[in-house]
Amino acid sequence: MVLNKSFKSIKKTKIIIALDFSNINIAMSFIKKLNPNIHRLKIGKEMFFLFGLNFIKKLIKLGFKIFLDLKLHDIPNTVSKAIQSFSKLKIWMISIHSLGGKEMMKSAKLALNSFKHKPPLLFSVTILSSLSQIDLTELGMFFSIKKQILLLSKLSKEIGLDGIICPGIFSKYIRKHLGKNFKIVSPGIRFKKDLHHDQKNVISPKEAIKFNIDYIVLGRSITLSKNPIKSLNKINSFILK
Ligand code: C5P
């Protein structure tokens, strides 16, 4: 398989592509257009349930850094065992939900000791980019979204996680309170003309780069684009400016 080498390398904001495909052949022909030195791949529940660890092994073999975004949220023992179950793989990043609580996050962190190779980075999802203030209130969460994200981020940092996942719009606020060594991943990125789909807290790629977000997750704005490479080049040009 020949992979695209035409992108220049990026030192600042890094790109993670959310591979949410239900067809493996379509996914592979899309992946061919990417460059593993620039584009990291995020495998979520859909592709993990459909194609499992073999698919991930194949992508690792092609040289891609893999973010296994299973957003684990369960009792501490179950989360720990789930993480240990892929300890033989060279996965670059994994995710858990900070709403699973302190003990669950501690167990997840401890489970990283079982990895044969360098353990993956451990990130926690704070508040999903698909949730609005009204959604939070419905769930009995009465802080403002940004205060809720800060609270969960502080907890995640205290436990020693590498960073958090939050809507880009709140990244500046989190950065201000927690510093630049605690990393931020932001999904919900859309070009101005894109549909927002189920995402409620959305920012543009240009804004994400201006906010110095460490990793931006690009899903449907790229995978549904008529010309994904043109869209990625556009984003690269913002990053390289
Ligand atoms: O297609 P879109 O750009 O909306 O995809 C966003 C991706 O990021 C999805 O794979 C989704 O599961 C993931 N994600 C998210 N919000 C979070 C964490 C992950 O949308 N807080």
PDB file of all heavy atoms in Angstrom, residues 18 20 42 69 71 125 127-130 165-166 187-190 197-199 217-221, ligand 1:
ATOM      1  N   ALA A  18     -10.634  11.131  12.802  1.00  0.00           N
ATOM      2  CA  ALA A  18     -11.598  10.163  13.368  1.00  0.00           C
ATOM      3  C   ALA A  18     -12.094   9.274  12.242  1.00  0.00           C
ATOM      4  O   ALA A  18     -12.846   9.710  11.371  1.00  0.00           O
ATOM      5  CB  ALA A  18     -12.756  10.910  14.021  1.00  0.00           C
ATOM      6  N   ASP A  20     -14.449   7.094  11.345  1.00  0.00           N
ATOM      7  CA  ASP A  20     -15.728   6.464  11.699  1.00  0.00           C
ATOM      8  C   ASP A  20     -16.386   5.913  10.429  1.00  0.00           C
ATOM      9  O   ASP A  20     -17.351   6.483   9.924  1.00  0.00           O
ATOM     10  CB  ASP A  20     -16.625   7.477  12.430  1.00  0.00           C
ATOM     11  CG  ASP A  20     -16.023   7.919  13.759  1.00  0.00           C
ATOM     12  OD1 ASP A  20     -15.475   7.059  14.477  1.00  0.00           O
ATOM     13  OD2 ASP A  20     -16.074   9.113  14.081  1.00  0.00           O
ATOM     14  N   LYS A  42      -7.847   7.972  14.736  1.00  0.00           N
ATOM     15  CA  LYS A  42      -8.660   7.667  15.919  1.00  0.00           C
ATOM     16  C   LYS A  42      -9.648   6.571  15.553  1.00  0.00           C
ATOM     17  O   LYS A  42     -10.426   6.719  14.609  1.00  0.00           O
ATOM     18  CB  LYS A  42      -9.418   8.925  16.369  1.00  0.00           C
ATOM     19  CG  LYS A  42     -10.209   8.696  17.644  1.00  0.00           C
ATOM     20  CD  LYS A  42     -10.840   9.989  18.124  1.00  0.00           C
ATOM     21  CE  LYS A  42     -12.213  10.214  17.563  1.00  0.00           C
ATOM     22  NZ  LYS A  42     -13.208   9.209  17.984  1.00  0.00           N
ATOM     23  N   ASP A  69     -10.154   5.262  20.878  1.00  0.00           N
ATOM     24  CA  ASP A  69     -11.095   6.133  21.600  1.00  0.00           C
ATOM     25  C   ASP A  69     -12.328   5.346  22.030  1.00  0.00           C
ATOM     26  O   ASP A  69     -13.408   5.488  21.456  1.00  0.00           O
ATOM     27  CB  ASP A  69     -11.476   7.302  20.669  1.00  0.00           C
ATOM     28  CG  ASP A  69     -12.388   8.318  21.336  1.00  0.00           C
ATOM     29  OD1 ASP A  69     -12.335   8.430  22.573  1.00  0.00           O
ATOM     30  OD2 ASP A  69     -13.157   8.992  20.620  1.00  0.00           O
ATOM     31  N   LYS A  71     -13.497   5.487  25.116  1.00  0.00           N
ATOM     32  CA  LYS A  71     -14.139   6.270  26.187  1.00  0.00           C
ATOM     33  C   LYS A  71     -14.630   5.340  27.293  1.00  0.00           C
ATOM     34  O   LYS A  71     -15.826   5.282  27.609  1.00  0.00           O
ATOM     35  CB  LYS A  71     -15.325   7.071  25.632  1.00  0.00           C
ATOM     36  CG  LYS A  71     -14.950   8.075  24.563  1.00  0.00           C
ATOM     37  CD  LYS A  71     -16.160   8.903  24.173  1.00  0.00           C
ATOM     38  CE  LYS A  71     -15.861   9.871  23.070  1.00  0.00           C
ATOM     39  NZ  LYS A  71     -15.573   9.237  21.768  1.00  0.00           N
ATOM     40  N   VAL A 125     -12.207  11.968  28.688  1.00  0.00           N
ATOM     41  CA  VAL A 125     -13.270  12.787  28.117  1.00  0.00           C
ATOM     42  C   VAL A 125     -13.906  13.533  29.288  1.00  0.00           C
ATOM     43  O   VAL A 125     -14.251  12.921  30.295  1.00  0.00           O
ATOM     44  CB  VAL A 125     -14.342  11.911  27.436  1.00  0.00           C
ATOM     45  CG1 VAL A 125     -15.505  12.751  26.932  1.00  0.00           C
ATOM     46  CG2 VAL A 125     -13.742  11.093  26.314  1.00  0.00           C
ATOM     47  N   ILE A 127     -16.517  16.722  29.096  1.00  0.00           N
ATOM     48  CA  ILE A 127     -17.902  16.831  28.631  1.00  0.00           C
ATOM     49  C   ILE A 127     -17.895  16.684  27.107  1.00  0.00           C
ATOM     50  O   ILE A 127     -17.114  17.341  26.424  1.00  0.00           O
ATOM     51  CB  ILE A 127     -18.502  18.191  29.052  1.00  0.00           C
ATOM     52  CG1 ILE A 127     -18.578  18.290  30.581  1.00  0.00           C
ATOM     53  CG2 ILE A 127     -19.884  18.416  28.430  1.00  0.00           C
ATOM     54  CD1 ILE A 127     -19.468  17.255  31.273  1.00  0.00           C
ATOM     55  N   LEU A 128     -18.754  15.817  26.602  1.00  0.00           N
ATOM     56  CA  LEU A 128     -18.813  15.560  25.159  1.00  0.00           C
ATOM     57  C   LEU A 128     -19.155  16.844  24.398  1.00  0.00           C
ATOM     58  O   LEU A 128     -19.968  17.646  24.874  1.00  0.00           O
ATOM     59  CB  LEU A 128     -19.865  14.487  24.854  1.00  0.00           C
ATOM     60  CG  LEU A 128     -19.575  13.082  25.384  1.00  0.00           C
ATOM     61  CD1 LEU A 128     -20.835  12.218  25.323  1.00  0.00           C
ATOM     62  CD2 LEU A 128     -18.445  12.432  24.604  1.00  0.00           C
ATOM     63  N   SER A 129     -18.578  16.979  23.207  1.00  0.00           N
ATOM     64  CA  SER A 129     -18.875  18.181  22.409  1.00  0.00           C
ATOM     65  C   SER A 129     -20.316  18.177  21.869  1.00  0.00           C
ATOM     66  O   SER A 129     -20.784  19.157  21.326  1.00  0.00           O
ATOM     67  CB  SER A 129     -17.854  18.354  21.282  1.00  0.00           C
ATOM     68  OG  SER A 129     -17.500  17.115  20.749  1.00  0.00           O
ATOM     69  N   SER A 130     -21.004  17.060  22.045  1.00  0.00           N
ATOM     70  CA  SER A 130     -22.411  16.984  21.616  1.00  0.00           C
ATOM     71  C   SER A 130     -23.371  17.438  22.719  1.00  0.00           C
ATOM     72  O   SER A 130     -24.587  17.443  22.512  1.00  0.00           O
ATOM     73  CB  SER A 130     -22.740  15.537  21.228  1.00  0.00           C
ATOM     74  OG  SER A 130     -22.451  14.677  22.307  1.00  0.00           O
ATOM     75  N   ILE A 165     -10.014  15.634  26.993  1.00  0.00           N
ATOM     76  CA  ILE A 165     -10.709  15.870  25.727  1.00  0.00           C
ATOM     77  C   ILE A 165     -11.862  16.807  26.047  1.00  0.00           C
ATOM     78  O   ILE A 165     -12.658  16.527  26.962  1.00  0.00           O
ATOM     79  CB  ILE A 165     -11.214  14.538  25.129  1.00  0.00           C
ATOM     80  CG1 ILE A 165     -10.034  13.558  25.031  1.00  0.00           C
ATOM     81  CG2 ILE A 165     -11.882  14.769  23.774  1.00  0.00           C
ATOM     82  CD1 ILE A 165     -10.386  12.164  24.639  1.00  0.00           C
ATOM     83  N   CYS A 166     -11.918  17.916  25.349  1.00  0.00           N
ATOM     84  CA  CYS A 166     -13.022  18.849  25.591  1.00  0.00           C
ATOM     85  C   CYS A 166     -13.283  19.669  24.331  1.00  0.00           C
ATOM     86  O   CYS A 166     -12.414  19.769  23.469  1.00  0.00           O
ATOM     87  CB  CYS A 166     -12.728  19.765  26.782  1.00  0.00           C
ATOM     88  SG  CYS A 166     -11.603  21.117  26.425  1.00  0.00           S
ATOM     89  N   PRO A 187     -12.401  17.597  19.768  1.00  0.00           N
ATOM     90  CA  PRO A 187     -13.233  17.209  18.617  1.00  0.00           C
ATOM     91  C   PRO A 187     -14.259  18.322  18.341  1.00  0.00           C
ATOM     92  O   PRO A 187     -14.160  19.402  18.940  1.00  0.00           O
ATOM     93  CB  PRO A 187     -13.922  15.935  19.078  1.00  0.00           C
ATOM     94  CG  PRO A 187     -13.696  15.847  20.554  1.00  0.00           C
ATOM     95  CD  PRO A 187     -12.937  17.051  21.011  1.00  0.00           C
ATOM     96  N   GLY A 188     -15.190  18.050  17.454  1.00  0.00           N
ATOM     97  CA  GLY A 188     -16.231  19.045  17.146  1.00  0.00           C
ATOM     98  C   GLY A 188     -15.650  20.173  16.304  1.00  0.00           C
ATOM     99  O   GLY A 188     -15.944  21.340  16.525  1.00  0.00           O
ATOM    100  N   ILE A 189     -14.810  19.833  15.339  1.00  0.00           N
ATOM    101  CA  ILE A 189     -14.193  20.841  14.466  1.00  0.00           C
ATOM    102  C   ILE A 189     -14.956  20.851  13.134  1.00  0.00           C
ATOM    103  O   ILE A 189     -15.170  19.800  12.528  1.00  0.00           O
ATOM    104  CB  ILE A 189     -12.695  20.503  14.201  1.00  0.00           C
ATOM    105  CG1 ILE A 189     -11.946  20.210  15.505  1.00  0.00           C
ATOM    106  CG2 ILE A 189     -12.029  21.594  13.368  1.00  0.00           C
ATOM    107  CD1 ILE A 189     -11.692  21.375  16.421  1.00  0.00           C
ATOM    108  N   ARG A 190     -15.352  22.033  12.719  1.00  0.00           N
ATOM    109  CA  ARG A 190     -16.109  22.153  11.473  1.00  0.00           C
ATOM    110  C   ARG A 190     -15.673  23.383  10.688  1.00  0.00           C
ATOM    111  O   ARG A 190     -15.440  24.443  11.267  1.00  0.00           O
ATOM    112  CB  ARG A 190     -17.615  22.318  11.767  1.00  0.00           C
ATOM    113  CG  ARG A 190     -18.295  21.105  12.376  1.00  0.00           C
ATOM    114  CD  ARG A 190     -18.435  19.972  11.362  1.00  0.00           C
ATOM    115  NE  ARG A 190     -19.195  18.843  11.873  1.00  0.00           N
ATOM    116  CZ  ARG A 190     -18.687  17.871  12.643  1.00  0.00           C
ATOM    117  NH1 ARG A 190     -17.418  17.874  13.004  1.00  0.00           N
ATOM    118  NH2 ARG A 190     -19.459  16.871  13.040  1.00  0.00           N
ATOM    119  N   HIS A 197     -24.009  18.367  12.404  1.00  0.00           N
ATOM    120  CA  HIS A 197     -24.520  17.035  12.767  1.00  0.00           C
ATOM    121  C   HIS A 197     -24.954  17.049  14.235  1.00  0.00           C
ATOM    122  O   HIS A 197     -25.630  17.956  14.655  1.00  0.00           O
ATOM    123  CB  HIS A 197     -23.467  15.946  12.501  1.00  0.00           C
ATOM    124  CG  HIS A 197     -22.893  15.984  11.114  1.00  0.00           C
ATOM    125  ND1 HIS A 197     -21.654  16.497  10.830  1.00  0.00           N
ATOM    126  CD2 HIS A 197     -23.411  15.599   9.935  1.00  0.00           C
ATOM    127  CE1 HIS A 197     -21.412  16.425   9.537  1.00  0.00           C
ATOM    128  NE2 HIS A 197     -22.469  15.879   8.965  1.00  0.00           N
ATOM    129  N   ASP A 198     -24.484  16.055  15.022  1.00  0.00           N
ATOM    130  CA  ASP A 198     -24.896  15.974  16.430  1.00  0.00           C
ATOM    131  C   ASP A 198     -24.021  16.814  17.368  1.00  0.00           C
ATOM    132  O   ASP A 198     -24.205  16.789  18.583  1.00  0.00           O
ATOM    133  CB  ASP A 198     -24.881  14.500  16.880  1.00  0.00           C
ATOM    134  CG  ASP A 198     -23.595  13.770  16.502  1.00  0.00           C
ATOM    135  OD1 ASP A 198     -22.738  14.380  15.805  1.00  0.00           O
ATOM    136  OD2 ASP A 198     -23.427  12.602  16.871  1.00  0.00           O
ATOM    137  N   GLN A 199     -23.056  17.558  16.833  1.00  0.00           N
ATOM    138  CA  GLN A 199     -22.139  18.329  17.680  1.00  0.00           C
ATOM    139  C   GLN A 199     -22.742  19.685  18.022  1.00  0.00           C
ATOM    140  O   GLN A 199     -23.246  20.382  17.147  1.00  0.00           O
ATOM    141  CB  GLN A 199     -20.797  18.539  16.959  1.00  0.00           C
ATOM    142  CG  GLN A 199     -20.072  17.260  16.595  1.00  0.00           C
ATOM    143  CD  GLN A 199     -19.439  16.551  17.787  1.00  0.00           C
ATOM    144  OE1 GLN A 199     -19.854  16.728  18.933  1.00  0.00           O
ATOM    145  NE2 GLN A 199     -18.451  15.726  17.523  1.00  0.00           N
ATOM    146  N   VAL A 217      -9.304  16.802  16.558  1.00  0.00           N
ATOM    147  CA  VAL A 217      -9.916  15.603  15.969  1.00  0.00           C
ATOM    148  C   VAL A 217     -10.790  16.039  14.804  1.00  0.00           C
ATOM    149  O   VAL A 217     -11.737  16.805  14.982  1.00  0.00           O
ATOM    150  CB  VAL A 217     -10.775  14.846  17.013  1.00  0.00           C
ATOM    151  CG1 VAL A 217     -11.492  13.671  16.355  1.00  0.00           C
ATOM    152  CG2 VAL A 217      -9.919  14.364  18.173  1.00  0.00           C
ATOM    153  N   LEU A 218     -10.444  15.553  13.621  1.00  0.00           N
ATOM    154  CA  LEU A 218     -11.236  15.889  12.435  1.00  0.00           C
ATOM    155  C   LEU A 218     -11.973  14.635  11.988  1.00  0.00           C
ATOM    156  O   LEU A 218     -11.340  13.631  11.658  1.00  0.00           O
ATOM    157  CB  LEU A 218     -10.323  16.373  11.302  1.00  0.00           C
ATOM    158  CG  LEU A 218      -9.453  17.595  11.620  1.00  0.00           C
ATOM    159  CD1 LEU A 218      -8.402  17.796  10.545  1.00  0.00           C
ATOM    160  CD2 LEU A 218     -10.319  18.831  11.746  1.00  0.00           C
ATOM    161  N   GLY A 219     -13.288  14.710  12.028  1.00  0.00           N
ATOM    162  CA  GLY A 219     -14.089  13.564  11.604  1.00  0.00           C
ATOM    163  C   GLY A 219     -14.799  13.875  10.313  1.00  0.00           C
ATOM    164  O   GLY A 219     -14.177  14.014   9.251  1.00  0.00           O
ATOM    165  N   ARG A 220     -16.105  14.048  10.406  1.00  0.00           N
ATOM    166  CA  ARG A 220     -16.921  14.183   9.200  1.00  0.00           C
ATOM    167  C   ARG A 220     -16.559  15.376   8.321  1.00  0.00           C
ATOM    168  O   ARG A 220     -16.816  15.334   7.126  1.00  0.00           O
ATOM    169  CB  ARG A 220     -18.397  14.217   9.617  1.00  0.00           C
ATOM    170  CG  ARG A 220     -18.892  12.827  10.029  1.00  0.00           C
ATOM    171  CD  ARG A 220     -20.172  12.868  10.817  1.00  0.00           C
ATOM    172  NE  ARG A 220     -19.973  13.363  12.166  1.00  0.00           N
ATOM    173  CZ  ARG A 220     -20.905  13.390  13.110  1.00  0.00           C
ATOM    174  NH1 ARG A 220     -22.118  12.929  12.837  1.00  0.00           N
ATOM    175  NH2 ARG A 220     -20.642  13.855  14.319  1.00  0.00           N
ATOM    176  N   SER A 221     -15.924  16.431   8.907  1.00  0.00           N
ATOM    177  CA  SER A 221     -15.559  17.563   8.052  1.00  0.00           C
ATOM    178  C   SER A 221     -14.501  17.138   7.025  1.00  0.00           C
ATOM    179  O   SER A 221     -14.351  17.766   5.986  1.00  0.00           O
ATOM    180  CB  SER A 221     -15.050  18.746   8.880  1.00  0.00           C
ATOM    181  OG  SER A 221     -13.927  18.356   9.617  1.00  0.00           O
TER     182      SER A 221
HETATM  183  O1  C5P B   1     -17.396  13.664  12.795  1.00  0.00           O
HETATM  184  P1  C5P B   1     -16.968  14.467  13.972  1.00  0.00           P
HETATM  185  O2  C5P B   1     -15.865  15.460  13.637  1.00  0.00           O
HETATM  186  O3  C5P B   1     -18.095  15.095  14.727  1.00  0.00           O
HETATM  187  O4  C5P B   1     -16.293  13.369  14.912  1.00  0.00           O
HETATM  188  C1  C5P B   1     -15.861  13.619  16.192  1.00  0.00           C
HETATM  189  C2  C5P B   1     -15.207  12.381  16.727  1.00  0.00           C
HETATM  190  O5  C5P B   1     -14.687  12.680  18.009  1.00  0.00           O
HETATM  191  C3  C5P B   1     -16.145  11.203  16.892  1.00  0.00           C
HETATM  192  O6  C5P B   1     -15.414  10.033  16.571  1.00  0.00           O
HETATM  193  C4  C5P B   1     -16.515  11.208  18.359  1.00  0.00           C
HETATM  194  O7  C5P B   1     -16.707   9.908  18.876  1.00  0.00           O
HETATM  195  C5  C5P B   1     -15.273  11.826  18.991  1.00  0.00           C
HETATM  196  N1  C5P B   1     -15.471  12.590  20.227  1.00  0.00           N
HETATM  197  C6  C5P B   1     -16.349  13.660  20.349  1.00  0.00           C
HETATM  198  N2  C5P B   1     -16.470  14.310  21.541  1.00  0.00           N
HETATM  199  C7  C5P B   1     -15.708  13.968  22.582  1.00  0.00           C
HETATM  200  C8  C5P B   1     -14.795  12.929  22.475  1.00  0.00           C
HETATM  201  C9  C5P B   1     -14.692  12.254  21.264  1.00  0.00           C
HETATM  202  O8  C5P B   1     -17.012  14.013  19.383  1.00  0.00           O
HETATM  203  N3  C5P B   1     -15.773  14.643  23.717  1.00  0.00           N
END
